[in-house]
Amino acid sequence: MHSIFISGAAQGIGAAIATLFYQHGYKVGIYDINVVQAQKLAQHLGTNAKAGLLDVCHYEQWQQALNEFQAWAGEINILVNNAGILYSGAFEQTDIAAHQRTFNINVNGVVNGCHAALPFLRQASFARVINLSSASAIYGQPDLVSYSASKFAVRGITEGLDIEWQKYGIRVLDVMPLFVQTAMVKEMDAGSIQNMGVHLTAEDVAQTIYARVQAKDSMFTKTHEPVGLKTKIMFNLSKVSPQFVNRISTMFLATRK
């Protein structure tokens, strides 16, 4: 029985991932800074789910959580770096602490997770890393500057490690959803969400991640996987459009009504 370790798994996308993989017979690690809610989800799912405390900003907590989960599960096959936060609104009107916290969780959390998990993944019979990037990593987003930049960083981490860890037989992939119906986007202050709406569910993202894990590995396996039709169109157009077209498109989509 394969296992999956998910950060930020107590609610939203993380909980949807945990639920889907549990239904498909995986041992599931539900780790979150909100350990009480994580434990409730694990109890709800059943005996093949384990919950624990994890603040992704602290490397030592990663080491402790991964050791604990491997001792329980036997091996760690899948790491999902899901934990993340989002602050929206004008850059200069957002407190500097919020900008810094965004990078600490969204970027350092992924770096910590990948670095701490590698010794465990190398021991596994099959191993894969899935990072949560975003459609905001296609082109820098106004009113979401720090969040967008943090997801560009996740995109870069994914690309680099996907090549570097070939020597270990470990693929590092990501998913890139547009706005998802979770608590994170409620009362979001950005023109792009007003114009594009929120049509994806946490389950949509979970299904894409499950497909990424199940896909047979080959040289044609994509490092990035946009989630949803709108994201796929934006992602593919950005690869062939001149930069000024991408900039104008982003300006248009971000214009407040």
Side-chain angles (χ1 to χ4, degrees):
M1 180 183 291
H2 283 166
S3 71
I4 181 169
F5 183 104
I6 311 158
S7 70
Q11 60 184 343
I13 294 172
I17 298 166
T19 301
L20 180 64
F21 276 81
Y22 191 94
Q23 292 169 347
H24 283 280
Y26 280 71
K27 290 183 177 180
V28 176
I30 302 167
Y31 282 77
D32 201 286
I33 196 168
N34 187 342
V35 69
V36 173
Q37 194 164 347
Q39 289 169 341
K40 288 180 180 178
L41 178 58
Q43 291 168 4
H44 171 73
L45 291 178
T47 56
N48 284 329
K50 179 175 179 57
L53 174 67
L54 176 61
D55 181 340
V56 297
C57 299
H58 296 285
Y59 189 75
E60 296 77 12
Q61 287 195 25
W62 270 104
Q63 292 177 306
Q64 181 178 345
L66 290 164
N67 271 300
E68 174 188 281
F69 183 67
Q70 186 186 52
W72 176 81
E75 67 176 9
I76 300 175
N77 302 106
I78 312 298
L79 167 66
V80 179
N81 283 305
N82 169 71
I85 59 168
L86 180 153
Y87 292 96
S88 61
F91 178 83
E92 68 277 10
Q93 294 175 11
T94 302
D95 191 83
I96 189 61
H99 289 298
Q100 294 169 346
R101 186 166 183 258
T102 299
F103 283 97
N104 203 19
I105 294 174
N106 294 6
V107 181
N108 292 343
V110 173
V111 171
N112 288 340
C114 290
H115 194 279
L118 179 59
F120 301 94
L121 296 171
R122 289 184 64 183
Q123 296 172 20
S125 56
F126 166 80
R128 189 158 287 188
V129 177
I130 309 293
N131 295 326
L132 268 290
S133 186
S134 168
S136 296
I138 296 173
Y139 196 91
Q141 296 296 303
D143 299 324
L144 295 168
V145 169
S146 293
Y147 177 78
S148 178
S150 74
K151 294 303 182 179
F152 268 98
V154 172
R155 179 175 174 173
I157 292 165
T158 302
E159 291 174 353
L161 286 183
D162 191 33
I163 296 171
E164 187 173 336
W165 285 1
Q166 282 188 35
K167 59 191 175 188
Y168 304 129
I170 301 170
R171 291 302 304 267
V172 182
L173 311 174
D174 68 26
V175 294
M176 304 176 72
L178 198 56
F179 305 116
V180 182
Q181 295 170 16
T182 65
M184 195 163 71
V185 302
K186 288 183 178 179
E187 300 180 2
M188 203 171 115
D189 183 17
S192 53
I193 195 171
Q194 297 172 12
N195 292 316
M196 302 196 72
V198 183
H199 303 290
L200 292 176
T201 66
E203 289 71 25
D204 292 328
V205 181
Q207 289 285 355
T208 303
I209 290 172
Y210 183 74
R212 301 240 73 190
V213 169
Q214 295 301 308
K216 185 177 180 180
D217 184 29
S218 77
M219 64 181 295
F220 300 107
T221 301
K222 296 182 292 184
T223 304
H224 308 296
E225 184 62 54
V227 184
L229 180 60
K230 289 182 179 180
T231 315
K232 290 177 181 178
I233 292 172
M234 291 164 57
F235 183 73
N236 289 322
L237 285 177
S238 71
K239 293 188 289 186
V240 297
S241 300
Q243 183 179 358
F244 79 90
V245 173
N246 294 329
R247 181 176 185 273
I248 291 171
S249 299
T250 300
M251 289 173 61
F252 174 76
L253 291 172
T255 301
R256 295 174 182 271
K257 296 179 180 179

